């Protein structure tokens, strides 16, 4: 995957060359193409993990219409082993890896522009991957 690869609603953030998860060409999938309230959004990343990940954090920094902010920092292993991430193992071993997350977008979320980043960092604080999202909820 090239550093400037992106989809209609996403792009890699920070310096993709520094990510320890190197996405394969066409290795990022987000569906549906236009996320809707009262339905699931699914994100899948296929790539090569350069080193073992034994822990770390998931940082969520999202804004709806630049007014409603969601800022969370979560334990990576807890997230990986949750239903959202389909109960994946932790630690993650170096080599081929698929990270997949499915989350429900509640009906109560306003149908506004969403912009922000979801960053996964390893036990040393290195960026495993970072995805910038920018779309209008339908």
């Amino acid at each position: 995957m090239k550093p400037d690869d992106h989809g209609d609603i996403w792009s890699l953030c920070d310096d993709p060359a520094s990510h320890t998860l190197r996405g394969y060409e066409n290795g990022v999938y987000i569906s549906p193409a236009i996320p809707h309230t009262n339905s699931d959004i699914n994100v899948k990343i296929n790539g090569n993990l350069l080193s073992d990940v034994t822990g770390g954090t998931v940082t969520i920094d999202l804004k709806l219409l630049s007014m409603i902010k969601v800022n969370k920092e979560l334990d990576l292993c807890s997230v990986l082993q949750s239903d959202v991430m389909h109960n994946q193992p932790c630690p993650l071993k170096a080599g081929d890896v698929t990270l997949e997350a499915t989350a429900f977008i509640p009906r109560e979320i306003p149908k506004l522009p969403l912009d922000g980043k979801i960053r996964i960092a390893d036990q040393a604080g290195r960026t495993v991957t970072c995805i910038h999202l920018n779309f209008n909820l339908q």
Side-chain angles (χ1 to χ4, degrees):
M1 194 162 157
K2 299 175 193 132
D4 59 349
D5 281 351
H6 61 84
D8 291 336
I9 65 171
W10 68 271
S11 61
L12 296 174
C13 46
D14 300 336
D15 176 11
S18 71
H19 295 185
T20 61
L21 175 57
R22 302 293 167 91
Y24 295 132
E25 189 168 340
N26 299 315
V28 176
Y29 308 91
I30 298 179
S31 65
I34 305 294
H36 296 267
T37 61
N38 202 37
S39 66
D40 285 341
I41 182 171
N42 180 265
V43 178
K44 184 187 277 189
I45 303 170
N46 294 314
N48 183 271
L49 188 60
L50 301 179
S51 58
D52 289 353
V53 175
T54 60
T57 57
V58 177
T59 304
I60 301 168
D61 182 15
L62 301 174
K63 297 176 193 82
L64 283 167
L65 195 64
S66 299
M67 294 186 304
I68 302 168
K69 297 179 181 183
V70 176
N71 291 304
K72 289 188 177 189
E73 186 167 288
L74 307 169
D75 175 74
L76 176 58
C77 285
S78 295
V79 172
L80 286 172
Q81 296 168 338
S82 72
D83 290 343
V84 169
M85 294 288 291
H86 306 276
N87 301 299
Q88 297 187 44
C90 189
L92 293 171
K93 296 293 183 192
D96 290 337
V97 69
T98 298
L99 296 179
E100 183 173 8
T102 303
F104 182 75
I105 303 172
R107 178 188 326 262
E108 298 77 27
I109 300 285
K111 294 179 181 176
L112 298 170
L114 180 138
D115 184 61
K117 295 179 183 181
I118 299 173
R119 179 180 181 265
I120 298 175
D122 69 10
Q123 63 279 359
R126 296 174 298 216
T127 299
V128 174
T129 192
C130 181
I131 294 183
H132 176 251
L133 298 170
N134 188 338
F135 59 85
N136 291 325
L137 276 172
Q138 301 296 308

